[in-house]
Structure formats: structure tokens, C-alpha cells
């Protein structure tokens, strides 16, 4: 009876702990993940603009041959971040629930809850001497649940890759603990299979076998043996050999899939990796390790992008920041010297370092610091931190006041972390808050200013866009994207010479920049420099042969020169490359309409609508053609459809009025003309003229009717 009560009490305790952990996750992330969430920063490229995610039916070939950002894996532009299962998750969410950030972030939150519970279960299953395992498990998992550094992984949708890596990583560690005393390699095979699956979510999963080796090393008590005997046991342990061979095989397979090609990143993405001085690269990289550790230790300064201007290079051994590096490695050395006595601490350090290896600079990466890459390493950090706290707490067991002080500090830490996480999650709700918060952390980061300017341009705030683009160029004069966008902004204001100057500066910084070549062509076309514009467009196509937007602009260039056949050909080429190119479809249909080729216009508009079923410009032109062919009912339905999509478009109401005018539905025509005039009276000249003619006609007809 007593044992039954004990089991029930233990079960109740477990349920309470798990409930508290889930509640912690919900309290910290529910606000940022569920309330008015939008796609922000990298979400736009990886999800919103990624055809592999938001196109139906499922293109399996593209998903397994393109990188995470939608570019072909073997192209020069690819970042080689091959995560097809993550992309597939996004795709099926889109297919089932639509392109909505809220439900995608909710799933991220669910995965974070699951990972928190798995971590709790993992630590409870460990055997570590001189530590209260239940406290270690609960406090470590609680710290993991509330840690602010996880906000980017949980509140940014693209953090799904990290969350899935964390999930599979924890499952493999649990399998390792469960099979620690069991002979055979079945668990090893299962872990290697899970590692392969994990690599299809995030490449960093290649480190999972190393983590499993370290966990097995501590769980089997190998670390307690003399060093020579340890070496003999490790070299003869079959499962370790299987882990290493399997890991190397998976790595080779992964490199083979990308044709053993390395990604090419720009200096603006990672200035440390591109620095030519070996000493500067080495010292700066060591300092980065300290900064990453500090972000987990004190997550006050969090930024969506640490690329350029956030961290100055360490160029000399006399740089005072190296004191932090010395302190960091001193801590590690002391831990190594006491690894038998502090086994839990060493295990935590191993689980912190090993998953971080792919982001540690041993291979060139496209970022300086990426907070979401700390999601899985923070598992080890939480173990180390709580182990240190409990070590102190147990050593002061006889001092009541010290224990109360430690308890108070711990509760204060959790309160501060929860508040900081909620604050950071709120900043990830939309790009305006996210980018503005970065200025407080990295005011000299050119990429932060660039993103603020880009967002201001999208919102129509040109003065703010000019200010931040100029600031970005001032901070980094060779920032090709900022130079090009600044040129585009000047073009919109008619300052074509200034626009050309900045776009040429972008090309001087990066000659193989197809978008800049195309924009230079647009500026030259506006200046009537048609031959130069054509050369610029051809340069763009030289660097990107499948550039649909460039073919569209070439068509516009030929149209300006009245070369209608060439214009039509290039627009057709544009939609052949990218069928979801509404402007090219609209230009094709307009040309066919103007030439009186109505049947061709109807046929091609039907093709266009299979790709863009709710595109107003295509529906509008099709309605115009149907009206000219006196298919009034079909035309009326399409006009009403486009008006429902864009109710404030004056032209749509005007043309519906023209249709009713032809159809002799005069009252409806008058109503449509009046609506068009009310929307924009200064530009609704056609509606005003037609309304006047119609009213004069009615006035002439009314006396005749009275005489009859």
C-alpha cells in the first residue's frame, strides 16, 4: 500500500512539473507567437517568396534539389543550406492552413514545449553523483523553457529547423541513456537513422553522434577509469566506432548531394571569415565564442542580425576584450582538470560545445552570430548553469541564510528571464519593432539600417528610407544592395543621373550583381539610352539566365521602341520562366487586346488564371475583352470579382459603368460612374465625361417620352 502511494505521489509530482514547464513556455511565448504575428526577416525569403513552400501541387523534385531559401542547390547563388524536410513542413502547413504566420509560430511554440519536456525527461534519466537529479532536471528544463536567447528560434518561423534539430537531438540522447547497458548496435543504427533525418531538417544534426558518444562516456562511468585504461576502453568500444563511421558516411553523402561545392558568402555577411589577416581572424573568432556564451549568460543584447558593425574585429593581442577570452578558457581548463569530480558540469559543457561546432567557424558560414543557432547548445548551457547553482546550494546546506539568498536570486533570475523573453517575443511580432530594437544593440550595423530603409520604402516613408540607406552606405561604402536600393529610390523621384551613379557604385562593389544590372537598364531606358539599357539587361542575363523580371523589362524596352514583336516575345519568355509574373501576363493581354486579337487574349488569359486565379489585372483585361465581344454576363461577373478584390480602384468601376452603358443598363452605369468619381474625382475624367453624356441623353429622351 505504501509503495502504491509512493508511485501515485511520484506520478503526481511528474505531472505537476511537466504542467509548470509547459505553462512557462506558454507564458513566455504565447504573446509573441500568437497575437497578430507576421512573417519577419528571413521568413519572407524562406517561406513567403519561396515557390517550393507556397506552390501547389507539391514539387518534390524542387524541394529535394533546392536549398532552404528556394535557390537550386547546385547554383552559385545557393547558401547550400539543404533542409528539405523543414521546407516540406512549411509546404504542408500552407496546403492545409494557408500562408499564415500565426499557426506556423504556434507549431514552433508546441515544438518548444515538447523539447522542454524531453530535456526534463533526459536529465531525470541521467546518473550523476553528488547532485539532486530531480532538482537538476526541473530547474534546467525551466531555464531552457524561459531563456530569452531562444526567442529567435521560437518566434521566427524559420527557427523551425533549430526546433526540429533540438527534438531529434534530445530523442537520440534519450535513446543513448536507455541503451547504455545493453549490448548490440540496434540503438546505434536507430540513432544514425535519426541523425540522417535530422540533417534533412538542419545540417547541424551531423553532430548528434558525437553528443551520444560523450553522454555514453559519462553514463557508463568510463570517465572514472585511469586515462590509459580509458583510452583502451574507448578504442575497443564498437558503438563508438559505428557512430564515427556513420557520421562520416552521412557527412560525405551530404557533401556529395551538393556536388562537394562550398557556399560563397559576401564580406558583408561575415567580415571575420573574409579578413585576410590570420591573426585577426583567429583572435576575432575566439572572441565570438565568448560573445555567444555571454548571450546565453546575460541575454540583454539580442539582435536579429549581427553581421556588420556589431562586433569590431580583434586586430591585436593587446585588445582588452581578450581578457574575456582568457577567462572563458580558464573556466574550461579548470573544469577539465576536475572532470572526474564535476562530471555533470563536463557533460553540460560537452552538450553545449558539440552542437555549436558547425557554427563555430571551422567552416565558413554566412553570419557572425546567429542567435537561433544557440537553441540546441543552450541545452548544455542550462545544465552547466543549474549544476553550478546546485553545487553552491548543497555546499551551503548548513547556512540557512545563504540558501534563502540563493533561492531568492534564482526566482529573481527566472522572473527577469520571463519578462525579457516576453519583451523579445513582442519585438518579433513585426519587422518595424524587430528592426528598431536592433538599433539599440547595434547602431553601427549597416544591415540593420538597410533593413529599416527597405521596410520604410515598402511603407511609403521615403524620407526615412533615404536616411537609413545613406547611413548604411556611410557605415559600409561597398554595401552593394544598399547602393542599388538607394539608386532605385532616386529613380522613383526622377533623379535619374543620381540613380545611375549609385547603381554603378553597386556594380563596382559587386560586378556579378544581376539585379543591379537590370536596375541600371531600367534607369537607362528611362533616360532614352536604349542601346545602353539593352546591354545592361544582357549583362543581367549573363549572370542569371533564368531572370524572368529582366525579360519582362526587356519587353518594356522594346515596347518603348515600338518593336512590338520583340516585346511580346520577351514577355512570353518571362512567363515561361516564371508563370506567376502578373505584369508580364498583363502586358501580353493588353497588346493582344489593343491589336483586336480577342480570341487569343481570352485563350492566354485563361492560361494566366490557372497560375494566378485571383490576379486583378488579368481578370480586368479578360473582362474588357469579353465586354467588347458582347459577352456581357461573363464580363459583369469578372468586373464584380475584381472590384471585390480592389474596391477602391477607380478604373474598375469606370469600365463596369462602360459595360452597363453598352448593355443599356443606364441606372447601373450611372451608379458605377458616380462611384468612380467619388473614389478619385481628379483622375476619373472618363467616368465624368461618360456620366455627362449619359445624363444629357436621358434629358433628351425624357421630353420625347412625355410627348408620347
Amino acid at each position: 500500500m505504501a509503495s502504491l502511494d509512493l508511485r501515485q505521489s511520484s506520478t503526481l509530482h511528474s505531472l505537476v512539473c511537466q504542467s509548470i514547464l509547459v505553462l512557462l513556455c506558454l507564458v513566455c511565448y504565447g504573446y509573441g507567437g500568437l497575437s497578430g504575428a507576421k512573417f519577419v526577416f528571413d521568413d519572407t525569403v524562406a517561406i513567403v517568396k519561396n515557390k517550393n513552400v507556397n506552390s501547389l501541387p507539391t514539387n518534390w523534385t524542387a524541394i529535394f534539389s533546392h536549398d532552404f531559401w528556394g535557390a537550386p542547390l547546385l547554383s552559385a547563388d545557393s547558401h547550400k543550406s539543404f533542409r528539405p524536410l523543414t521546407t516540406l513542413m512549411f509546404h504542408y502547413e500552407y496546403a492545409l492552413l494557408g500562408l499564415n504566420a500565426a499557426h506556423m509560430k504556434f507549431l514552433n511554440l508546441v515544438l518548444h514545449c515538447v523539447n522542454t519536456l524531453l530535456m526534463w525527461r533526459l536529465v531525470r534519466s541521467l546518473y550523476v553523483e553528488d547532485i539532486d537529479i530531480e532538482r537538476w532536471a526541473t530547474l534546467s528544463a525551466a531555464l531552457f523553457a524561459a531563456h530569452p536567447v531562444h526567442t529567435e528560434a521560437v518566434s521566427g518561423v524559420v527557427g523551425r529547423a533549430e526546433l526540429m534539430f533540438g527534438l531529434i537531438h534530445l530523442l537520440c540522447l534519450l535513446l543513448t541513456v536507455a541503451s547504455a547497458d545493453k549490448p548490440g548496435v540496434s540503438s546505434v543504427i536507430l540513432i544514425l537513422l535519426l541523425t540522417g533525418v535530422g540533417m534533412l531538417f538542419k545540417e547541424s544534426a551531423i553532430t548528434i553522434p558525437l553528443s551520444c558518444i560523450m553522454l555514453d562516456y559519462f553514463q557508463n562511468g568510463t570517465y572514472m577509469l585511469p586515462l590509459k585504461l580509458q583510452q583502451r576502453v574507448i578504442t575497443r568500444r564498437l558503438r563508438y566506432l559505428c557512430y564515427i563511421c556513420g557520421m562520416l558516411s552521412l557527412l560525405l553523402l551530404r557533401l556529395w548531394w551538393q556536388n562537394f561545392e562550398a557556399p560563397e558568402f559576401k564580406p558583408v555577411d561575415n567580415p571575420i571569415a573574409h579578413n585576410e589577416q590570420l591573426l585577426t581572424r583567429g583572435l576575432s573568432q575566439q572572441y565570438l565564442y565568448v560573445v555567444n556564451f555571454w548571450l546565453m549568460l546575460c541575454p540583454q543584447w539580442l539582435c536579429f542580425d549581427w553581421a556588420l558593425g556589431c562586433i569590431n574585429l580583434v586586430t591585436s593581442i593587446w585588445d582588452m576584450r581578450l581578457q574575456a577570452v582568457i577567462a572563458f578558457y580558464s573556466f574550461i581548463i579548470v573544469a577539465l582538470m576536475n572532470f572526474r569530480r564535476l562530471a555533470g558540469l563536463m557533460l553540460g559543457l560537452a552538450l553545449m560545445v558539440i552542437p555549436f561546432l558547425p557554427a563555430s567557424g571551422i567552416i565558413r558560414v554566412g553570419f557572425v552570430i546567429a542567435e537561433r543557432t544557440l537553441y540546441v547548445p543552450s541545452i548544455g548551457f542550462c545544465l552547466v548553469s543549474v549544476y553550478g547553482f546546485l553545487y553552491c546550494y548543497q555546499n551551503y546546506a548548513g547556512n540557512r541564510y545563504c540558501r534563502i539568498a540563493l533561492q531568492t536570486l534564482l526566482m529573481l533570475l527566472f522572473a527577469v528571464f520571463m519578462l525579457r523573453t516576453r519583451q523579445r517575443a513582442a519585438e518579433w511580432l513585426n519587422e518595424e519593432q524587430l528592426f528598431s530594437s536592433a538599433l539599440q544593440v547595434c547602431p553601427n550595423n549597416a544591415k540593420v539600417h538597410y533593413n529599416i530603409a527597405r521596410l520604410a520604402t515598402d511603407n511609403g516613408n521615403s524620407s526615412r528610407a533615404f536616411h537609413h540607406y545613406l547611413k548604411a552606405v556611410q557605415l559600409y561604402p561597398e554595401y552593394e544592395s544598399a547602393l542599388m536600393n538607394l539608386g532605385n529610390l532616386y529613380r522613383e523621384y526622377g533623379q535619374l543621373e543620381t540613380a545611375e551613379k549609385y547603381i554603378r557604385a553597386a556594380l563596382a562593389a559587386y560586378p556579378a550583381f544581376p539585379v543591379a544590372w537590370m536596375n541600371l537598364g531600367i534607369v537607362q531606358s528611362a533616360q532614352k539610352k536604349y542601346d545602353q539599357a539593352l546591354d545592361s539587361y544582357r549583362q543581367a542575363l549573363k549572370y542569371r539566365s533564368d531572370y524572368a523580371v529582366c525579360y519582362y523589362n526587356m519587353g518594356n524596352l522594346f515596347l518603348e521602341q515600338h518593336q512590338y514583336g520583340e516585346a511580346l516575345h520577351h514577355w512570353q519568355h518571362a512567363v515561361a520562366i516564371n508563370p506567376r509574373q502578373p505584369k508580364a501576363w498583363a502586358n501580353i493581354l493588353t497588346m493582344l487586346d489593343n491589336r483586336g486579337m480577342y480570341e487569343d487574349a481570352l485563350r492566354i488569359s485563361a492560361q494566366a488564371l490557372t497560375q494566378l486565379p485571383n490576379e486583378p489585372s488579368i481578370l480586368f483585361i479578360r473582362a474588357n475583352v469579353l465586354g467588347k465581344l458582347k459577352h456581357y454576363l461573363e464580363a459583369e461577373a469578372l468586373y464584380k470579382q475584381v472590384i471585390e478584390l480592389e474596391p477602391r480602384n477607380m478604373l474598375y468601376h469606370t469600365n463596369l459603368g462602360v459595360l452597363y452603358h453598352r448593355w443599356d443598363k443606364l441606372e447601373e452605369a450611372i451608379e458605377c460612374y458616380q462611384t468612380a468619381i467619388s473614389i478619385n474625382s481628379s483622375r476619373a475624367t472618363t467616368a465624368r465625361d461618360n456620366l455627362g453624356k449619359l445624363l444629357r441623353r436621358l434629358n433628351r429622351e425624357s421630353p420625347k417620352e412625355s410627348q408620347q
Side-chain angles (χ1 to χ4, degrees):
M1 192 64 161
S3 62
L4 181 61
D5 291 341
L6 187 63
R7 283 199 301 271
Q8 288 177 342
S9 176
S10 176
T11 303
L12 181 61
H13 177 264
S14 297
L15 286 173
V16 170
C17 286
Q18 292 177 76
S19 300
I20 291 172
L21 292 173
V22 171
L23 184 61
L24 267 177
C25 294
L26 295 177
V27 168
C28 289
Y29 292 99
Y31 174 45
L34 303 175
S35 304
K38 295 181 180 178
F39 293 110
V40 295
F41 193 42
D42 287 341
D43 297 345
T44 305
V45 181
I47 299 169
V48 179
K49 295 182 179 179
N50 191 342
K51 297 177 192 173
N52 301 331
V53 171
N54 53 40
S55 295
L56 293 172
T58 306
N59 190 339
W60 291 91
T61 303
I63 289 173
F64 281 89
S65 61
H66 289 183
D67 68 15
F68 186 56
W69 311 102
L73 191 64
L74 300 182
S75 73
D77 297 330
S78 174
H79 288 186
K80 313 301 180 188
S81 48
F82 182 62
R83 304 166 194 170
L85 293 187
T86 308
T87 302
L88 203 59
M89 283 186 78
F90 294 150
H91 172 74
Y92 278 116
E93 285 174 76
Y94 163 75
L96 295 172
L97 301 170
L99 201 63
N100 184 283
H103 72 250
M104 290 186 169
K105 292 190 177 190
F106 176 72
L107 183 53
N108 278 17
L109 178 56
V110 171
L111 289 170
H112 182 57
C113 293
V114 171
N115 287 340
T116 300
L117 295 178
L118 286 175
M119 180 181 174
W120 173 77
R121 189 174 183 85
L122 170 67
V123 182
R124 287 184 80 218
S125 65
L126 298 179
Y127 174 73
V128 178
E129 293 182 345
D130 303 325
I131 200 80
D132 187 325
I133 290 294
E134 281 293 334
R135 284 178 177 171
W136 195 27
T138 305
L139 292 177
S140 298
L143 184 61
F144 182 79
H147 204 298
V149 84
H150 297 157
T151 313
E152 182 174 347
V154 180
S155 295
V157 181
V158 294
R160 181 73 55 79
E162 312 294 336
L163 295 165
M164 291 305 300
F165 167 33
L167 176 68
I168 293 173
H169 184 260
L170 288 164
L171 286 174
C172 289
L173 293 179
L174 281 165
L175 278 170
T176 302
V177 174
S179 61
D181 299 322
K182 297 177 182 178
V185 294
S186 57
S187 62
V188 176
I189 294 171
L190 181 56
I191 287 171
L192 288 174
L193 286 174
L194 285 172
T195 300
V197 172
M199 289 175 67
L200 298 179
F201 284 107
K202 180 71 187 286
E203 302 85 349
S204 302
I206 188 65
T207 60
I208 289 176
L210 288 178
S211 296
C212 293
I213 289 173
M214 290 304 299
L215 181 59
D216 186 81
Y217 169 79
F218 282 102
Q219 284 301 105
N220 278 311
T222 308
Y223 70 97
M224 296 297 295
L225 301 174
L227 290 178
K228 288 186 178 180
L229 186 57
Q230 280 190 43
Q231 184 179 358
R232 196 177 308 140
V233 170
I234 290 170
T235 53
R236 293 180 180 178
R237 196 157 175 79
L238 178 62
R239 68 170 57 201
Y240 293 174
L241 181 63
C242 291
Y243 279 138
I244 297 297
C245 291
M247 185 180 69
L248 292 175
S249 300
L250 288 170
L251 180 60
L252 285 172
L253 184 63
R254 172 66 178 79
L255 293 173
W256 171 77
W257 193 254
Q258 67 185 51
N259 203 25
F260 294 94
E261 296 176 354
E264 294 182 10
F265 298 108
K266 301 172 187 175
V268 68
D269 297 319
N270 190 348
I272 293 174
H274 285 82
N275 192 277
E276 296 179 355
Q277 299 296 323
L278 180 62
L279 178 65
T280 299
R281 285 204 311 272
L283 294 178
S284 299
Q285 193 63 55
Q286 300 308 309
Y287 179 64
L288 278 187
Y289 299 153
V290 176
V291 175
N292 277 284
F293 183 77
W294 181 255
L295 288 177
M296 292 188 286
L297 188 65
C298 182
Q300 178 185 358
W301 302 310
L302 298 177
C303 183
F304 73 93
D305 196 313
W306 292 80
L308 193 66
C310 281
I311 298 175
N312 294 326
L313 299 178
V314 181
T315 57
S316 166
I317 60 171
W318 306 113
D319 194 308
M320 296 299 291
R321 291 175 292 175
L322 291 179
Q323 293 183 20
V325 176
I326 294 169
F328 177 68
Y329 280 107
S330 299
F331 166 70
I332 293 177
I333 290 169
V334 170
L336 286 170
M337 291 172 63
N338 295 275
F339 76 97
R340 287 193 178 92
R341 191 162 57 90
L342 303 173
L345 181 69
M346 288 306 302
L347 175 60
L349 277 174
L351 294 180
M352 181 174 66
V353 171
I354 291 172
F356 185 71
L357 289 175
S360 66
I362 57 175
I363 57 173
R364 181 174 288 187
V365 293
F367 55 85
V368 177
I369 292 174
E371 290 165 16
R372 60 177 175 258
T373 63
L374 297 176
Y375 183 80
V376 178
S378 70
I379 294 172
F381 172 81
C382 293
L383 292 176
V384 169
S385 301
V386 175
Y387 184 92
F389 170 81
L390 291 175
Y391 186 84
C392 295
Y393 189 78
Q394 290 174 189
N395 281 346
Y396 289 105
N399 192 322
R400 178 169 171 266
Y401 295 106
C402 286
R403 289 170 70 96
I404 291 173
L406 286 171
Q407 290 171 355
T408 304
L409 288 173
L410 183 65
M411 296 305 295
L412 182 62
L413 174 70
F414 275 109
V416 170
F417 268 31
M418 289 172 67
L419 290 172
R420 179 63 178 129
T421 301
R422 282 182 62 83
Q423 179 191 33
R424 187 61 180 158
E427 291 170 353
W428 274 87
L429 279 174
N430 58 67
E431 291 187 331
E432 180 68 34
Q433 296 181 82
L434 182 64
F435 297 161
S436 298
S437 69
L439 278 182
Q440 301 172 20
V441 180
C442 296
N444 294 323
N445 187 334
K447 289 190 78 172
V448 169
H449 288 281
Y450 168 81
N451 280 289
I452 292 173
R454 179 182 57 78
L455 182 63
T457 303
D458 293 341
N459 294 334
N461 191 344
S462 299
S463 60
R464 191 181 189 205
F466 272 118
H467 170 75
H468 286 285
Y469 275 137
L470 289 168
K471 185 67 176 177
V473 171
Q474 177 189 344
L475 290 168
Y476 186 57
E478 295 184 351
Y479 196 171
E480 69 279 358
S481 296
L483 288 163
M484 182 194 70
N485 284 6
L486 187 56
N488 291 341
L489 205 55
Y490 277 113
R491 185 194 76 213
E492 290 178 9
Y493 279 82
Q495 300 181 39
L496 299 179
E497 292 183 2
T498 308
E500 184 174 355
K501 181 188 78 171
Y502 278 107
I503 295 174
R504 286 193 179 278
L507 289 167
Y510 181 38
F513 194 2
V515 183
W517 280 112
M518 183 193 71
N519 282 298
L520 179 61
I522 294 172
V523 171
Q524 291 168 333
S525 178
Q527 294 172 310
K528 310 299 181 185
K529 301 175 182 177
Y530 296 131
D531 291 339
Q532 293 180 35
L534 187 59
D535 289 340
S536 296
Y537 287 141
R538 285 172 176 164
Q539 283 290 327
L541 293 173
K542 172 186 173 183
Y543 294 112
R544 188 186 296 175
S545 58
D546 60 344
Y547 201 176
V549 179
C550 188
Y551 280 107
Y552 162 75
N553 283 301
M554 287 181 77
N556 294 345
L557 175 66
F558 286 118
L559 178 65
E560 289 184 36
Q561 300 176 79
H562 306 292
Q563 298 181 33
Y564 300 116
E566 284 292 329
L568 186 61
H569 168 72
H570 282 83
W571 291 330
Q572 289 171 335
H573 201 150
V575 297
I577 294 171
N578 180 12
R580 299 173 66 83
Q581 189 70 244
K583 291 183 178 179
W585 283 115
N587 282 11
I588 292 169
L589 295 171
T590 301
M591 181 172 285
L592 294 174
D593 183 16
N594 292 340
R595 289 184 171 188
M597 302 169 68
Y598 301 136
E599 295 299 331
D600 289 335
L602 290 177
R603 176 175 53 81
I604 291 175
S605 64
Q607 294 175 10
L609 289 171
T610 60
Q611 301 293 332
L612 300 162
N614 294 312
E615 175 54 42
S617 60
I618 297 170
L619 292 166
F620 176 65
I621 298 169
R622 183 175 174 85
N624 291 342
V625 172
L626 288 167
K628 291 174 183 178
L629 294 173
K630 298 185 179 181
H631 298 168
Y632 295 137
L633 283 173
E634 294 177 63
E636 179 189 29
L638 289 177
Y639 279 132
K640 287 182 176 180
Q641 186 177 345
V642 295
I643 287 171
E644 186 177 347
L645 293 169
E646 295 183 12
R648 300 293 298 171
N649 191 307
M650 173 267 299
L651 187 59
Y652 296 167
H653 290 280
T654 301
N655 280 30
L656 179 56
V658 171
L659 178 75
Y660 285 135
H661 204 151
R662 290 176 181 168
W663 201 354
D664 216 26
K665 291 189 173 184
L666 304 185
E667 290 184 6
E668 289 87 342
I670 291 171
E671 183 182 348
C672 290
Y673 290 145
Q674 289 174 338
T675 303
I677 293 168
S678 68
I679 291 172
N680 193 334
S681 59
S682 61
R683 297 184 61 186
T685 52
T686 302
R688 191 181 297 104
D689 292 343
N690 286 358
L691 179 60
K693 292 175 184 177
L694 186 54
L695 292 175
R696 286 194 294 273
R697 173 186 162 187
L698 290 174
N699 288 334
R700 287 196 303 271
E701 291 177 354
S702 58
K704 294 179 182 179
E705 292 177 0
S706 62
Q707 289 174 7
Q708 291 176 356

